[in-house]
Amino acid sequence: GAGVSQSPSNKVTEKGKDVELRCDPISGHTALYWYRQSLGQGLEFLIYFQGNSAPDKSGLPSDRFSAERTGGSVSTLTIQRTQQEDSAVYLCASSLVSSGGRYEQYFGPGTRLTVT
Amino acid sequence: GDSVTQMEGPVTLSEEAFLTINCTYTATGYPSLFWYVQYPGEGLQLLLKATKADDKGSNKGFEATYRKETTSFHLEKGSVQVSDSAVYFCALNGNQFYFGTGTSLTVIP
């Protein structure tokens, strides 16, 4: 079946512009995560959606970052007034949910954002 | 809260050497544990997992055993290959995923 998809795959934007990154999770997956990965670095957690619960926004680095998940499916990560330090690969992942957390995450290919 | 602590890298080994990458965790309850791998220029993919204590996950010659008494999930491989060069991430999932910082492995011929 279809995996997690993200668009665009690459985005170059000028400093100060707003960008929107899209994630289509695997159908039926109620959990959705956004991460940021800078060059050669680990995963930086940004935000977590689970079903209809309030999202865990504890990883968002500033109020320029926001995310929505519409209808429990597609998610959009918005970065306002982009800065050069926002340049990174933005990864989306989705999973089923169970007690004990036995289901793995499936990652999308990422969006490479470059702020010039 | 829940967390994962992973061995710092980078790690450089010769081909056919034995590999251990340490991972310990802190969690309330009984999480599942995972190792993910990221090959150069690629996305993250699941390498193996274990869902309860004493379970052993294995794949592609890699193994990790869920040790509740030591809260560990160390990744091992008896004989690494050049193609194993990648970044390895330990992770846990109780009711939310937490990842370690990643360990870069380079295997030289």
Side-chain angles (χ1 to χ4, degrees), chain A residues 33 35 37 41-43 45 48 56 58 91 95-96 98-109, chain B residues 30-34 36 38 42-46 49 51 87 89 93-102:
Chain A
Y33 295 76
Y35 298 93
Q37 189 173 34
Q41 302 298 310
L43 295 176
F45 164 75
Y48 166 51
D56 176 355
S58 60
L91 295 169
S95 73
L96 295 169
S98 72
S99 61
R102 67 179 181 271
Y103 294 112
E104 61 265 32
Q105 281 188 342
Y106 293 82
F107 281 82
Chain B
Y30 305 96
S32 295
L33 301 173
F34 305 82
Y36 280 80
Q38 187 175 34
E42 299 185 13
L44 272 86
Q45 56 186 279
L46 179 69
K49 70 177 186 181
T51 58
V87 180
F89 293 91
N93 185 16
N95 58 4
Q96 187 167 335
F97 260 88
Y98 295 89
F99 279 82
T101 52

mmCIF file of all heavy atoms in Angstrom, chain A residues 33 35 37 41-43 45 48 56 58 91 95-96 98-109, chain B residues 30-34 36 38 42-46 49 51 87 89 93-102:
data_model
loop_
_atom_site.group_PDB
_atom_site.id
_atom_site.type_symbol
_atom_site.label_atom_id
_atom_site.label_comp_id
_atom_site.label_asym_id
_atom_site.label_seq_id
_atom_site.Cartn_x
_atom_site.Cartn_y
_atom_site.Cartn_z
ATOM 1 N N TYR A 33 3.494 12.522 13.452
ATOM 2 C CA TYR A 33 4.593 13.268 14.056
ATOM 3 C C TYR A 33 5.287 14.108 12.988
ATOM 4 O O TYR A 33 5.422 13.678 11.842
ATOM 5 C CB TYR A 33 5.658 12.320 14.610
ATOM 6 C CG TYR A 33 5.239 11.435 15.747
ATOM 7 C CD1 TYR A 33 4.441 10.317 15.535
ATOM 8 C CD2 TYR A 33 5.663 11.700 17.042
ATOM 9 C CE1 TYR A 33 4.079 9.490 16.594
ATOM 10 C CE2 TYR A 33 5.312 10.871 18.095
ATOM 11 C CZ TYR A 33 4.517 9.771 17.868
ATOM 12 O OH TYR A 33 4.164 8.947 18.913
ATOM 13 N N TYR A 35 9.112 15.976 12.559
ATOM 14 C CA TYR A 35 10.457 16.107 13.083
ATOM 15 C C TYR A 35 11.255 17.020 12.149
ATOM 16 O O TYR A 35 10.919 17.185 10.968
ATOM 17 C CB TYR A 35 11.181 14.753 13.119
ATOM 18 C CG TYR A 35 10.566 13.708 13.997
ATOM 19 C CD1 TYR A 35 9.646 12.794 13.471
ATOM 20 C CD2 TYR A 35 10.906 13.596 15.345
ATOM 21 C CE1 TYR A 35 9.081 11.807 14.268
ATOM 22 C CE2 TYR A 35 10.342 12.609 16.142
ATOM 23 C CZ TYR A 35 9.433 11.723 15.592
ATOM 24 O OH TYR A 35 8.868 10.748 16.382
ATOM 25 N N GLN A 37 15.351 17.518 10.903
ATOM 26 C CA GLN A 37 16.691 16.929 10.913
ATOM 27 C C GLN A 37 17.630 17.862 10.173
ATOM 28 O O GLN A 37 17.543 17.998 8.956
ATOM 29 C CB GLN A 37 16.688 15.536 10.281
ATOM 30 C CG GLN A 37 18.004 14.805 10.455
ATOM 31 C CD GLN A 37 17.953 13.370 9.972
ATOM 32 O OE1 GLN A 37 17.267 13.044 9.010
ATOM 33 N NE2 GLN A 37 18.677 12.485 10.651
ATOM 34 N N GLN A 41 22.660 15.752 11.752
ATOM 35 C CA GLN A 41 22.162 15.754 13.126
ATOM 36 C C GLN A 41 21.074 14.701 13.323
ATOM 37 O O GLN A 41 20.643 14.038 12.382
ATOM 38 C CB GLN A 41 21.594 17.141 13.472
ATOM 39 C CG GLN A 41 22.583 18.264 13.330
ATOM 40 C CD GLN A 41 23.758 18.108 14.261
ATOM 41 O OE1 GLN A 41 23.595 17.893 15.459
ATOM 42 N NE2 GLN A 41 24.958 18.170 13.718
ATOM 43 N N GLY A 42 20.641 14.565 14.571
ATOM 44 C CA GLY A 42 19.578 13.627 14.893
ATOM 45 C C GLY A 42 18.213 14.211 14.609
ATOM 46 O O GLY A 42 18.069 15.238 13.951
ATOM 47 N N LEU A 43 17.212 13.550 15.125
ATOM 48 C CA LEU A 43 15.831 13.979 14.934
ATOM 49 C C LEU A 43 15.431 14.950 16.036
ATOM 50 O O LEU A 43 15.603 14.667 17.212
ATOM 51 C CB LEU A 43 14.893 12.774 15.001
ATOM 52 C CG LEU A 43 15.034 11.734 13.906
ATOM 53 C CD1 LEU A 43 14.100 10.577 14.191
ATOM 54 C CD2 LEU A 43 14.730 12.337 12.558
ATOM 55 N N PHE A 45 12.195 16.527 17.588
ATOM 56 C CA PHE A 45 10.747 16.415 17.631
ATOM 57 C C PHE A 45 10.112 17.797 17.553
ATOM 58 O O PHE A 45 10.559 18.733 18.226
ATOM 59 C CB PHE A 45 10.329 15.718 18.924
ATOM 60 C CG PHE A 45 8.878 15.860 19.275
ATOM 61 C CD1 PHE A 45 7.923 15.133 18.580
ATOM 62 C CD2 PHE A 45 8.461 16.719 20.273
ATOM 63 C CE1 PHE A 45 6.585 15.257 18.899
ATOM 64 C CE2 PHE A 45 7.130 16.853 20.593
ATOM 65 C CZ PHE A 45 6.183 16.123 19.905
ATOM 66 N N TYR A 48 3.173 16.424 17.724
ATOM 67 C CA TYR A 48 2.569 15.097 17.681
ATOM 68 C C TYR A 48 1.061 15.241 17.724
ATOM 69 O O TYR A 48 0.523 15.904 18.607
ATOM 70 C CB TYR A 48 3.070 14.300 18.882
ATOM 71 C CG TYR A 48 2.325 13.020 19.220
ATOM 72 C CD1 TYR A 48 2.086 12.058 18.255
ATOM 73 C CD2 TYR A 48 1.904 12.781 20.525
ATOM 74 C CE1 TYR A 48 1.433 10.875 18.576
ATOM 75 C CE2 TYR A 48 1.237 11.608 20.856
ATOM 76 C CZ TYR A 48 1.004 10.655 19.884
ATOM 77 O OH TYR A 48 0.362 9.487 20.204
ATOM 78 N N ASP A 56 0.497 17.603 20.925
ATOM 79 C CA ASP A 56 1.645 17.910 21.762
ATOM 80 C C ASP A 56 2.558 18.825 20.954
ATOM 81 O O ASP A 56 3.255 18.366 20.053
ATOM 82 C CB ASP A 56 2.369 16.622 22.146
ATOM 83 C CG ASP A 56 3.635 16.864 22.954
ATOM 84 O OD1 ASP A 56 4.026 18.042 23.159
ATOM 85 O OD2 ASP A 56 4.265 15.887 23.368
ATOM 86 N N SER A 58 5.038 20.616 22.181
ATOM 87 C CA SER A 58 6.150 20.993 23.044
ATOM 88 C C SER A 58 7.476 21.139 22.305
ATOM 89 O O SER A 58 8.402 21.762 22.814
ATOM 90 C CB SER A 58 6.300 19.966 24.166
ATOM 91 O OG SER A 58 6.553 18.678 23.631
ATOM 92 N N LEU A 91 10.705 15.961 8.441
ATOM 93 C CA LEU A 91 10.217 14.596 8.295
ATOM 94 C C LEU A 91 8.869 14.439 8.963
ATOM 95 O O LEU A 91 8.634 14.972 10.049
ATOM 96 C CB LEU A 91 11.199 13.618 8.939
ATOM 97 C CG LEU A 91 12.576 13.510 8.298
ATOM 98 C CD1 LEU A 91 13.520 12.729 9.188
ATOM 99 C CD2 LEU A 91 12.490 12.861 6.932
ATOM 100 N N SER A 95 1.751 6.415 12.547
ATOM 101 C CA SER A 95 1.677 5.060 13.104
ATOM 102 C C SER A 95 0.270 4.771 13.587
ATOM 103 O O SER A 95 -0.536 5.678 13.812
ATOM 104 C CB SER A 95 2.672 4.898 14.253
ATOM 105 O OG SER A 95 2.235 5.586 15.404
ATOM 106 N N LEU A 96 -0.008 3.491 13.751
ATOM 107 C CA LEU A 96 -1.174 3.079 14.509
ATOM 108 C C LEU A 96 -0.869 3.308 15.987
ATOM 109 O O LEU A 96 0.285 3.543 16.373
ATOM 110 C CB LEU A 96 -1.469 1.605 14.247
ATOM 111 C CG LEU A 96 -1.880 1.248 12.814
ATOM 112 C CD1 LEU A 96 -1.882 -0.266 12.617
ATOM 113 C CD2 LEU A 96 -3.241 1.825 12.490
ATOM 114 N N SER A 98 -1.544 1.795 20.021
ATOM 115 C CA SER A 98 -2.054 0.746 20.894
ATOM 116 C C SER A 98 -1.463 0.947 22.280
ATOM 117 O O SER A 98 -0.459 1.643 22.441
ATOM 118 C CB SER A 98 -1.639 -0.627 20.372
ATOM 119 O OG SER A 98 -0.259 -0.822 20.585
ATOM 120 N N SER A 99 -2.064 0.322 23.266
ATOM 121 C CA SER A 99 -1.437 0.328 24.586
ATOM 122 C C SER A 99 -0.142 -0.457 24.490
ATOM 123 O O SER A 99 -0.068 -1.467 23.798
ATOM 124 C CB SER A 99 -2.366 -0.297 25.618
ATOM 125 O OG SER A 99 -2.634 -1.634 25.275
ATOM 126 N N GLY A 100 0.896 0.057 25.123
ATOM 127 C CA GLY A 100 2.197 -0.594 25.011
ATOM 128 C C GLY A 100 2.975 -0.151 23.803
ATOM 129 O O GLY A 100 4.138 -0.502 23.649
ATOM 130 N N GLY A 101 2.345 0.622 22.917
ATOM 131 C CA GLY A 101 3.057 1.237 21.806
ATOM 132 C C GLY A 101 3.758 0.275 20.873
ATOM 133 O O GLY A 101 4.861 0.539 20.410
ATOM 134 N N ARG A 102 3.126 -0.855 20.563
ATOM 135 C CA ARG A 102 3.863 -1.870 19.819
ATOM 136 C C ARG A 102 3.989 -1.578 18.325
ATOM 137 O O ARG A 102 4.723 -2.260 17.624
ATOM 138 C CB ARG A 102 3.226 -3.232 20.004
ATOM 139 C CG ARG A 102 1.843 -3.391 19.381
ATOM 140 C CD ARG A 102 1.332 -4.800 19.626
ATOM 141 N NE ARG A 102 0.034 -5.049 19.039
ATOM 142 C CZ ARG A 102 -1.109 -4.816 19.653
ATOM 143 N NH1 ARG A 102 -1.116 -4.318 20.869
ATOM 144 N NH2 ARG A 102 -2.245 -5.083 19.057
ATOM 145 N N TYR A 103 3.301 -0.554 17.851
ATOM 146 C CA TYR A 103 3.357 -0.261 16.425
ATOM 147 C C TYR A 103 4.489 0.710 16.111
ATOM 148 O O TYR A 103 4.687 1.693 16.806
ATOM 149 C CB TYR A 103 2.035 0.327 15.950
ATOM 150 C CG TYR A 103 0.891 -0.653 16.037
ATOM 151 C CD1 TYR A 103 -0.136 -0.458 16.940
ATOM 152 C CD2 TYR A 103 0.866 -1.781 15.226
ATOM 153 C CE1 TYR A 103 -1.182 -1.350 17.032
ATOM 154 C CE2 TYR A 103 -0.175 -2.688 15.313
ATOM 155 C CZ TYR A 103 -1.199 -2.464 16.221
ATOM 156 O OH TYR A 103 -2.230 -3.355 16.309
ATOM 157 N N GLU A 104 5.175 0.434 14.991
ATOM 158 C CA GLU A 104 6.279 1.285 14.608
ATOM 159 C C GLU A 104 5.794 2.504 13.854
ATOM 160 O O GLU A 104 4.674 2.545 13.352
ATOM 161 C CB GLU A 104 7.276 0.511 13.727
ATOM 162 C CG GLU A 104 6.718 -0.018 12.431
ATOM 163 C CD GLU A 104 6.256 -1.456 12.565
ATOM 164 O OE1 GLU A 104 5.791 -1.850 13.663
ATOM 165 O OE2 GLU A 104 6.353 -2.198 11.564
ATOM 166 N N GLN A 105 6.664 3.494 13.758
ATOM 167 C CA GLN A 105 6.426 4.657 12.913
ATOM 168 C C GLN A 105 6.885 4.364 11.502
ATOM 169 O O GLN A 105 7.893 3.682 11.294
ATOM 170 C CB GLN A 105 7.213 5.859 13.422
ATOM 171 C CG GLN A 105 6.618 6.569 14.598
ATOM 172 C CD GLN A 105 7.348 7.849 14.904
ATOM 173 O OE1 GLN A 105 8.468 8.065 14.467
ATOM 174 N NE2 GLN A 105 6.725 8.705 15.678
ATOM 175 N N TYR A 106 6.169 4.932 10.564
ATOM 176 C CA TYR A 106 6.570 4.899 9.159
ATOM 177 C C TYR A 106 6.880 6.333 8.750
ATOM 178 O O TYR A 106 6.051 7.223 8.935
ATOM 179 C CB TYR A 106 5.451 4.330 8.281
ATOM 180 C CG TYR A 106 5.188 2.876 8.536
ATOM 181 C CD1 TYR A 106 4.383 2.475 9.593
ATOM 182 C CD2 TYR A 106 5.753 1.893 7.726
ATOM 183 C CE1 TYR A 106 4.140 1.138 9.850
ATOM 184 C CE2 TYR A 106 5.511 0.546 7.967
ATOM 185 C CZ TYR A 106 4.706 0.184 9.036
ATOM 186 O OH TYR A 106 4.482 -1.147 9.275
ATOM 187 N N PHE A 107 8.062 6.500 8.183
ATOM 188 C CA PHE A 107 8.523 7.834 7.841
ATOM 189 C C PHE A 107 8.293 8.154 6.371
ATOM 190 O O PHE A 107 8.424 7.281 5.504
ATOM 191 C CB PHE A 107 10.011 7.980 8.138
ATOM 192 C CG PHE A 107 10.312 8.215 9.591
ATOM 193 C CD1 PHE A 107 10.369 7.162 10.485
ATOM 194 C CD2 PHE A 107 10.517 9.503 10.065
ATOM 195 C CE1 PHE A 107 10.634 7.379 11.832
ATOM 196 C CE2 PHE A 107 10.782 9.731 11.409
ATOM 197 C CZ PHE A 107 10.834 8.667 12.283
ATOM 198 N N GLY A 108 7.991 9.409 6.115
ATOM 199 C CA GLY A 108 7.986 9.904 4.753
ATOM 200 C C GLY A 108 9.397 10.228 4.298
ATOM 201 O O GLY A 108 10.343 10.175 5.080
ATOM 202 N N PRO A 109 9.544 10.592 3.014
ATOM 203 C CA PRO A 109 10.861 10.873 2.454
ATOM 204 C C PRO A 109 11.421 12.221 2.876
ATOM 205 O O PRO A 109 12.600 12.495 2.673
ATOM 206 C CB PRO A 109 10.625 10.828 0.942
ATOM 207 C CG PRO A 109 9.186 11.210 0.800
ATOM 208 C CD PRO A 109 8.482 10.643 1.985
ATOM 209 N N TYR B 30 5.215 0.026 30.219
ATOM 210 C CA TYR B 30 5.933 -1.018 29.489
ATOM 211 C C TYR B 30 5.950 -0.686 27.998
ATOM 212 O O TYR B 30 5.117 -1.161 27.234
ATOM 213 C CB TYR B 30 5.253 -2.369 29.746
ATOM 214 C CG TYR B 30 5.154 -2.663 31.214
ATOM 215 C CD1 TYR B 30 3.991 -2.386 31.936
ATOM 216 C CD2 TYR B 30 6.248 -3.173 31.907
ATOM 217 C CE1 TYR B 30 3.913 -2.643 33.300
ATOM 218 C CE2 TYR B 30 6.181 -3.430 33.258
ATOM 219 C CZ TYR B 30 5.008 -3.159 33.952
ATOM 220 O OH TYR B 30 4.933 -3.394 35.295
ATOM 221 N N PRO B 31 6.927 0.123 27.596
ATOM 222 C CA PRO B 31 6.950 0.553 26.197
ATOM 223 C C PRO B 31 7.459 -0.546 25.272
ATOM 224 O O PRO B 31 8.002 -1.552 25.716
ATOM 225 C CB PRO B 31 7.954 1.710 26.219
ATOM 226 C CG PRO B 31 8.913 1.326 27.302
ATOM 227 C CD PRO B 31 8.052 0.660 28.357
ATOM 228 N N SER B 32 7.277 -0.329 23.999
ATOM 229 C CA SER B 32 7.954 -1.112 22.976
ATOM 230 C C SER B 32 9.227 -0.374 22.586
ATOM 231 O O SER B 32 9.302 0.853 22.694
ATOM 232 C CB SER B 32 7.049 -1.300 21.758
ATOM 233 O OG SER B 32 5.915 -2.062 22.099
ATOM 234 N N LEU B 33 10.211 -1.129 22.122
ATOM 235 C CA LEU B 33 11.519 -0.560 21.790
ATOM 236 C C LEU B 33 11.866 -0.856 20.334
ATOM 237 O O LEU B 33 11.501 -1.922 19.805
ATOM 238 C CB LEU B 33 12.596 -1.130 22.714
ATOM 239 C CG LEU B 33 12.365 -0.884 24.204
ATOM 240 C CD1 LEU B 33 13.398 -1.641 25.040
ATOM 241 C CD2 LEU B 33 12.422 0.603 24.526
ATOM 242 N N PHE B 34 12.569 0.075 19.716
ATOM 243 C CA PHE B 34 12.832 0.005 18.275
ATOM 244 C C PHE B 34 14.258 0.452 17.973
ATOM 245 O O PHE B 34 14.826 1.275 18.684
ATOM 246 C CB PHE B 34 11.882 0.949 17.517
ATOM 247 C CG PHE B 34 10.422 0.721 17.790
ATOM 248 C CD1 PHE B 34 9.823 1.257 18.925
ATOM 249 C CD2 PHE B 34 9.646 -0.014 16.913
ATOM 250 C CE1 PHE B 34 8.477 1.049 19.184
ATOM 251 C CE2 PHE B 34 8.300 -0.222 17.166
ATOM 252 C CZ PHE B 34 7.710 0.310 18.299
ATOM 253 N N TYR B 36 15.912 2.079 14.467
ATOM 254 C CA TYR B 36 15.728 2.569 13.108
ATOM 255 C C TYR B 36 17.102 2.802 12.490
ATOM 256 O O TYR B 36 18.071 3.094 13.199
ATOM 257 C CB TYR B 36 14.955 3.891 13.099
ATOM 258 C CG TYR B 36 13.466 3.720 13.235
ATOM 259 C CD1 TYR B 36 12.883 3.500 14.480
ATOM 260 C CD2 TYR B 36 12.639 3.763 12.121
ATOM 261 C CE1 TYR B 36 11.519 3.337 14.603
ATOM 262 C CE2 TYR B 36 11.266 3.604 12.240
ATOM 263 C CZ TYR B 36 10.717 3.390 13.485
ATOM 264 O OH TYR B 36 9.356 3.221 13.611
ATOM 265 N N GLN B 38 19.164 4.815 9.150
ATOM 266 C CA GLN B 38 19.113 5.809 8.074
ATOM 267 C C GLN B 38 20.384 5.687 7.253
ATOM 268 O O GLN B 38 21.463 6.112 7.686
ATOM 269 C CB GLN B 38 18.953 7.213 8.640
ATOM 270 C CG GLN B 38 18.728 8.284 7.579
ATOM 271 C CD GLN B 38 18.441 9.653 8.179
ATOM 272 O OE1 GLN B 38 18.975 10.002 9.230
ATOM 273 N NE2 GLN B 38 17.605 10.429 7.508
ATOM 274 N N GLU B 42 19.137 8.627 2.508
ATOM 275 C CA GLU B 42 17.824 7.982 2.528
ATOM 276 C C GLU B 42 17.040 8.360 3.775
ATOM 277 O O GLU B 42 17.533 9.018 4.678
ATOM 278 C CB GLU B 42 17.981 6.463 2.449
ATOM 279 C CG GLU B 42 18.656 5.984 1.178
ATOM 280 C CD GLU B 42 18.675 4.474 1.074
ATOM 281 O OE1 GLU B 42 17.963 3.799 1.851
ATOM 282 O OE2 GLU B 42 19.415 3.971 0.221
ATOM 283 N N GLY B 43 15.767 7.915 3.802
ATOM 284 C CA GLY B 43 14.923 8.178 4.962
ATOM 285 C C GLY B 43 15.123 7.138 6.042
ATOM 286 O O GLY B 43 15.890 6.184 5.892
ATOM 287 N N LEU B 44 14.436 7.344 7.154
ATOM 288 C CA LEU B 44 14.512 6.392 8.259
ATOM 289 C C LEU B 44 13.636 5.184 7.982
ATOM 290 O O LEU B 44 12.500 5.316 7.507
ATOM 291 C CB LEU B 44 14.028 7.047 9.562
ATOM 292 C CG LEU B 44 15.077 7.779 10.363
ATOM 293 C CD1 LEU B 44 15.208 9.194 9.860
ATOM 294 C CD2 LEU B 44 14.728 7.761 11.843
ATOM 295 N N GLN B 45 14.178 4.028 8.316
ATOM 296 C CA GLN B 45 13.385 2.812 8.183
ATOM 297 C C GLN B 45 13.589 1.942 9.408
ATOM 298 O O GLN B 45 14.648 1.952 10.024
ATOM 299 C CB GLN B 45 13.755 2.065 6.900
ATOM 300 C CG GLN B 45 15.221 1.726 6.766
ATOM 301 C CD GLN B 45 15.541 1.121 5.418
ATOM 302 O OE1 GLN B 45 15.337 -0.060 5.193
ATOM 303 N NE2 GLN B 45 16.036 1.952 4.518
ATOM 304 N N LEU B 46 12.550 1.178 9.715
ATOM 305 C CA LEU B 46 12.629 0.305 10.867
ATOM 306 C C LEU B 46 13.632 -0.816 10.617
ATOM 307 O O LEU B 46 13.619 -1.461 9.560
ATOM 308 C CB LEU B 46 11.248 -0.297 11.142
ATOM 309 C CG LEU B 46 11.166 -1.263 12.318
ATOM 310 C CD1 LEU B 46 11.354 -0.507 13.633
ATOM 311 C CD2 LEU B 46 9.836 -2.001 12.321
ATOM 312 N N LYS B 49 12.454 -4.493 16.168
ATOM 313 C CA LYS B 49 11.709 -4.015 17.328
ATOM 314 C C LYS B 49 11.469 -5.158 18.304
ATOM 315 O O LYS B 49 11.593 -6.337 17.941
ATOM 316 C CB LYS B 49 10.378 -3.410 16.906
ATOM 317 C CG LYS B 49 9.345 -4.410 16.399
ATOM 318 C CD LYS B 49 8.029 -3.702 16.080
ATOM 319 C CE LYS B 49 6.954 -4.696 15.710
ATOM 320 N NZ LYS B 49 5.666 -4.009 15.377
ATOM 321 N N THR B 51 8.586 -5.857 21.653
ATOM 322 C CA THR B 51 7.404 -5.262 22.271
ATOM 323 C C THR B 51 7.235 -5.614 23.738
ATOM 324 O O THR B 51 6.357 -5.054 24.405
ATOM 325 C CB THR B 51 6.128 -5.636 21.506
ATOM 326 O OG1 THR B 51 6.025 -7.062 21.493
ATOM 327 C CG2 THR B 51 6.181 -5.119 20.083
ATOM 328 N N VAL B 87 23.365 5.736 9.965
ATOM 329 C CA VAL B 87 23.088 6.275 11.300
ATOM 330 C C VAL B 87 21.981 5.422 11.922
ATOM 331 O O VAL B 87 20.964 5.148 11.271
ATOM 332 C CB VAL B 87 22.655 7.751 11.243
ATOM 333 C CG1 VAL B 87 22.369 8.273 12.648
ATOM 334 C CG2 VAL B 87 23.733 8.597 10.578
ATOM 335 N N PHE B 89 19.275 4.782 15.082
ATOM 336 C CA PHE B 89 18.500 5.479 16.104
ATOM 337 C C PHE B 89 17.753 4.466 16.958
ATOM 338 O O PHE B 89 17.024 3.625 16.433
ATOM 339 C CB PHE B 89 17.458 6.409 15.467
ATOM 340 C CG PHE B 89 18.032 7.576 14.722
ATOM 341 C CD1 PHE B 89 18.315 7.471 13.359
ATOM 342 C CD2 PHE B 89 18.264 8.777 15.366
ATOM 343 C CE1 PHE B 89 18.832 8.552 12.664
ATOM 344 C CE2 PHE B 89 18.777 9.866 14.675
ATOM 345 C CZ PHE B 89 19.063 9.743 13.319
ATOM 346 N N ASN B 93 8.371 3.565 22.405
ATOM 347 C CA ASN B 93 6.994 3.991 22.224
ATOM 348 C C ASN B 93 6.162 3.432 23.363
ATOM 349 O O ASN B 93 5.927 2.234 23.432
ATOM 350 C CB ASN B 93 6.466 3.513 20.870
ATOM 351 C CG ASN B 93 5.069 4.033 20.576
ATOM 352 O OD1 ASN B 93 4.601 4.965 21.210
ATOM 353 N ND2 ASN B 93 4.420 3.435 19.602
ATOM 354 N N GLY B 94 5.783 4.344 24.293
ATOM 355 C CA GLY B 94 4.836 3.971 25.332
ATOM 356 C C GLY B 94 3.468 4.404 24.870
ATOM 357 O O GLY B 94 2.676 3.628 24.374
ATOM 358 N N ASN B 95 3.204 5.687 24.973
ATOM 359 C CA ASN B 95 2.045 6.256 24.291
ATOM 360 C C ASN B 95 2.479 7.358 23.332
ATOM 361 O O ASN B 95 1.643 8.028 22.742
ATOM 362 C CB ASN B 95 1.016 6.786 25.292
ATOM 363 C CG ASN B 95 1.617 7.825 26.198
ATOM 364 O OD1 ASN B 95 2.777 8.200 26.038
ATOM 365 N ND2 ASN B 95 0.852 8.290 27.153
ATOM 366 N N GLN B 96 3.786 7.543 23.199
ATOM 367 C CA GLN B 96 4.353 8.518 22.277
ATOM 368 C C GLN B 96 5.777 8.068 21.971
ATOM 369 O O GLN B 96 6.427 7.449 22.803
ATOM 370 C CB GLN B 96 4.358 9.911 22.913
ATOM 371 C CG GLN B 96 4.761 11.027 21.998
ATOM 372 C CD GLN B 96 4.437 12.410 22.589
ATOM 373 O OE1 GLN B 96 3.541 12.549 23.424
ATOM 374 N NE2 GLN B 96 5.149 13.420 22.138
ATOM 375 N N PHE B 97 6.230 8.393 20.770
ATOM 376 C CA PHE B 97 7.579 7.976 20.373
ATOM 377 C C PHE B 97 8.635 8.941 20.924
ATOM 378 O O PHE B 97 8.452 10.160 20.900
ATOM 379 C CB PHE B 97 7.699 7.963 18.848
ATOM 380 C CG PHE B 97 7.557 6.597 18.249
ATOM 381 C CD1 PHE B 97 6.310 6.116 17.918
ATOM 382 C CD2 PHE B 97 8.675 5.810 18.015
ATOM 383 C CE1 PHE B 97 6.171 4.857 17.356
ATOM 384 C CE2 PHE B 97 8.538 4.554 17.464
ATOM 385 C CZ PHE B 97 7.281 4.071 17.136
ATOM 386 N N TYR B 98 9.750 8.360 21.381
ATOM 387 C CA TYR B 98 10.925 9.138 21.758
ATOM 388 C C TYR B 98 12.133 8.496 21.103
ATOM 389 O O TYR B 98 12.309 7.277 21.174
ATOM 390 C CB TYR B 98 11.089 9.162 23.283
ATOM 391 C CG TYR B 98 9.964 9.868 23.987
ATOM 392 C CD1 TYR B 98 8.833 9.174 24.386
ATOM 393 C CD2 TYR B 98 10.014 11.241 24.217
ATOM 394 C CE1 TYR B 98 7.781 9.828 25.012
ATOM 395 C CE2 TYR B 98 8.970 11.896 24.838
ATOM 396 C CZ TYR B 98 7.850 11.187 25.239
ATOM 397 O OH TYR B 98 6.815 11.834 25.839
ATOM 398 N N PHE B 99 12.961 9.332 20.464
ATOM 399 C CA PHE B 99 14.139 8.850 19.753
ATOM 400 C C PHE B 99 15.413 9.248 20.487
ATOM 401 O O PHE B 99 15.481 10.313 21.108
ATOM 402 C CB PHE B 99 14.194 9.435 18.339
ATOM 403 C CG PHE B 99 13.323 8.720 17.353
ATOM 404 C CD1 PHE B 99 11.974 9.008 17.271
ATOM 405 C CD2 PHE B 99 13.848 7.757 16.519
ATOM 406 C CE1 PHE B 99 11.164 8.347 16.362
ATOM 407 C CE2 PHE B 99 13.051 7.086 15.606
ATOM 408 C CZ PHE B 99 11.700 7.385 15.534
ATOM 409 N N GLY B 100 16.437 8.404 20.369
ATOM 410 C CA GLY B 100 17.765 8.786 20.778
ATOM 411 C C GLY B 100 18.377 9.718 19.760
ATOM 412 O O GLY B 100 17.785 10.014 18.709
ATOM 413 N N THR B 101 19.578 10.175 20.037
ATOM 414 C CA THR B 101 20.217 11.187 19.207
ATOM 415 C C THR B 101 20.884 10.615 17.966
ATOM 416 O O THR B 101 21.322 11.366 17.103
ATOM 417 C CB THR B 101 21.286 11.942 20.009
ATOM 418 O OG1 THR B 101 22.159 10.988 20.613
ATOM 419 C CG2 THR B 101 20.648 12.784 21.104
ATOM 420 N N GLY B 102 20.937 9.296 17.857
ATOM 421 C CA GLY B 102 21.524 8.689 16.678
ATOM 422 C C GLY B 102 23.008 8.407 16.857
ATOM 423 O O GLY B 102 23.730 9.166 17.508
#
